[in-house]
């Protein structure tokens, strides 16, 4: 049995693949533990989905808690260090991915009732200096779970 966090990441992977992003094959939408910029650069273009931050717990009822699971989506493309190459496509990918999940529930994860954007960086400056277009969006997927009593 997979954890709720794993199920959320798999649902995010399915959601991104369903977007059919121009120039991004399904095989390049990956799930991992930690986004490694150097390894992702070799696979570019690629989207990496990974756990992010700490789980949050808020009591919601006398028997249930609202638990937040962090998931980061990292988009990586090769760049020639110019301001134009891939800009339109990259911005479109980031926008479509964000819109796919923000404030929505994951239909195939019963416990999940919503999602917030925790943080994002549209273009990472350090990566750009290393000839990569890299962005990340961190989401917090909110679930309602029965408390162990």
């Amino acid at each position: 049995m997979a954890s709720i966090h794993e199920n959320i990441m798999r649902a995010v992977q399915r959601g991104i693949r369903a977007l059919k992003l121009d120039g991004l094959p399904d095989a390049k939408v990956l799930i991992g533990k930690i986004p490694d910029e150097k390894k992702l650069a070799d696979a570019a273009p690629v989207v990496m989905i990974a756990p992010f931050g700490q789980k949050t717990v808020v009591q919601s009822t006398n028997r249930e808690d609202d638990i937040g699971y962090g998931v980061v989506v990292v988009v990586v493309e090769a760049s020639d260090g110019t301001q134009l190459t891939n800009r339109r496509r990259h911005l479109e990918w980031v926008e479509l991915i964000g819109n796919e999940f923000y404030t929505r529930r994951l239909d195939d994860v019963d416990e999940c009732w919503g999602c917030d954007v925790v943080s994002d960086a549209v273009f990472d400056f350090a990566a750009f200096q290393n000839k990569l277009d890299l962005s990340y969006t961190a989401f917090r997927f909110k679930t309602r779970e029965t408390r162990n009593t």
Side-chain angles (χ1 to χ4, degrees):
M1 180 175 124
S3 70
I4 292 172
H5 209 157
E6 178 72 19
N7 289 338
I8 289 170
M9 290 190 301
R10 289 179 185 173
V12 169
Q13 182 184 46
R14 285 189 297 275
I16 293 171
R17 286 178 173 170
L19 292 172
K20 299 292 184 200
L21 300 173
D22 182 41
L24 183 69
D26 285 352
K28 296 282 192 131
V29 181
L30 310 172
I31 296 176
K33 292 181 187 177
I34 298 172
D36 182 332
E37 184 179 309
K38 291 179 182 176
K39 289 182 181 176
L40 292 175
D42 294 338
V46 65
V47 172
M48 169 66 80
I49 301 154
F52 176 79
Q54 296 179 334
K55 180 170 79 170
T56 60
V57 180
V58 177
Q59 184 177 349
S60 60
T61 71
N62 61 348
R63 292 191 177 132
E64 297 174 316
D65 294 321
D66 285 343
I67 299 178
Y69 294 94
V71 173
V72 66
V73 176
V74 181
V75 177
V76 181
E77 294 189 87
S79 174
D80 61 4
T82 72
Q83 295 288 331
L84 299 175
T85 304
N86 298 331
R87 185 181 66 209
R88 280 190 184 149
R89 181 173 77 173
H90 195 89
L91 290 171
E92 179 183 28
W93 287 5
V94 171
E95 185 177 321
L96 289 170
I97 291 168
N99 290 344
E100 179 67 15
F101 302 109
Y102 180 61
T103 72
R104 296 190 184 176
R105 62 180 300 127
L106 295 175
D107 293 333
D108 43 357
V109 180
D110 293 338
E111 299 88 351
C112 186
W113 59 268
C115 174
D116 292 325
V117 174
V118 179
S119 65
D120 64 351
V122 178
F123 284 101
D124 181 273
F125 183 71
F128 180 73
Q129 290 180 315
N130 290 321
K131 306 266 191 228
L132 288 176
D133 290 333
L134 182 146
S135 67
Y136 67 85
T137 305
F139 297 99
R140 174 99 35 222
F141 289 91
K142 298 176 281 191
T143 64
R144 171 113 352 128
E145 299 176 38
T146 302
R147 188 177 309 119
N148 291 332
T149 55

